[in-house]
């Protein structure tokens, strides 16, 4: 990997500490164990863009949020490596998440999933202006009911 990749600047370094209170309150926390440079758990398994028509990073990113290469030219993960990462990292994480949501729905009837990750506040390559400190959204109504928002 490149020096920019080894700096792992786009990693969610402090989420465990930031959300320690949630565990203390009895909430379940499922936390990624690998950098989004391995595979981005916030992307769909087919790698479809979260922001069609905009610059974005992929399921197995080849560049940082700032556009710096993660791999030397020609060393980017190929199709077989991306499939392996999907099987080894993405699928178990999402299977565990789905199973826990189903278990909690069975107990409580409804569940609120709080998905937290970090990103730099200013990334002109990806977003205009400064990003909000907390972005509570509905993904156009697809991720939660407007009443929750």
């Amino acid at each position: 990997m490149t020096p920019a990749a080894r700096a792992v600047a786009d990693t969610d370094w402090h989420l465990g500490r930031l959300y320690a209170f949630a565990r203390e309150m009895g909430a379940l926390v499922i936390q990624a164990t690998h950098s989004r440079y391995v595979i981005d758990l916030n992307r769909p398994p087919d790698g479809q863009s979260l922001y069609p028509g905009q610059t974005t990073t992929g399921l197995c990113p080849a560049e940082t949020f700032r556009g710096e290469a993660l791999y030397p030219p020609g060393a980017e993960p190929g199709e077989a490596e991306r499939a392996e990462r999907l099987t080894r990292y993405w699928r178990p994480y999402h299977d565990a998440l789905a199973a826990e949501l189903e278990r909690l729905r069975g107990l409580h009837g409804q569940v609120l999933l709080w998905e937290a990750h970090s990103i730099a506040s200013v990334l002109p390559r990806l977003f205009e202006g400064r990003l909000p400190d907390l972005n509570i959204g509905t993904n156009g109504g697809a991720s939660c009911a407007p009443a929750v928002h």
Side-chain angles (χ1 to χ4, degrees):
M1 296 190 92
T2 64
R6 290 192 299 272
V8 288
D10 298 327
T11 297
D12 296 326
W13 288 114
H14 303 291
L15 288 181
R17 289 187 357 206
L18 183 62
Y19 286 95
F21 77 91
R23 281 194 175 103
E24 294 167 8
M25 294 175 65
L28 174 79
V29 176
I30 298 174
Q31 187 171 344
T33 58
H34 292 76
S35 170
R36 68 174 42 101
Y37 293 168
V38 174
I39 193 162
D40 192 333
L41 299 173
N42 297 309
R43 302 286 186 249
D46 63 2
Q48 182 180 358
S49 176
L50 295 177
Y51 310 103
Q54 284 183 233
T55 300
T56 187
T57 56
L59 181 63
C60 292
E63 55 194 20
T64 69
F65 288 152
R66 289 172 183 78
E68 303 158 298
L70 295 175
Y71 302 92
E76 298 88 354
E79 187 176 327
E81 175 64 22
R82 290 191 305 271
E84 171 66 21
R85 292 180 188 188
L86 187 72
T87 300
R88 182 177 290 197
Y89 304 110
W90 193 96
R91 187 77 52 212
Y93 176 88
H94 283 275
D95 287 349
L97 181 59
E100 187 58 21
L101 289 171
E102 188 61 30
R103 184 186 76 77
L104 291 170
R105 274 190 203 100
L107 289 172
H108 304 290
Q110 54 187 341
V111 176
L112 178 64
L113 169 67
W114 177 267
E115 193 278 332
H117 59 95
S118 60
I119 190 169
S121 298
V122 178
L123 288 168
R125 175 177 173 261
L126 301 176
F127 304 102
E128 289 185 27
R130 181 180 175 85
L131 292 170
D133 291 335
L134 292 174
N135 186 2
I136 301 173
T138 67
N139 189 23
S143 63
C144 68
V148 175
H149 185 251

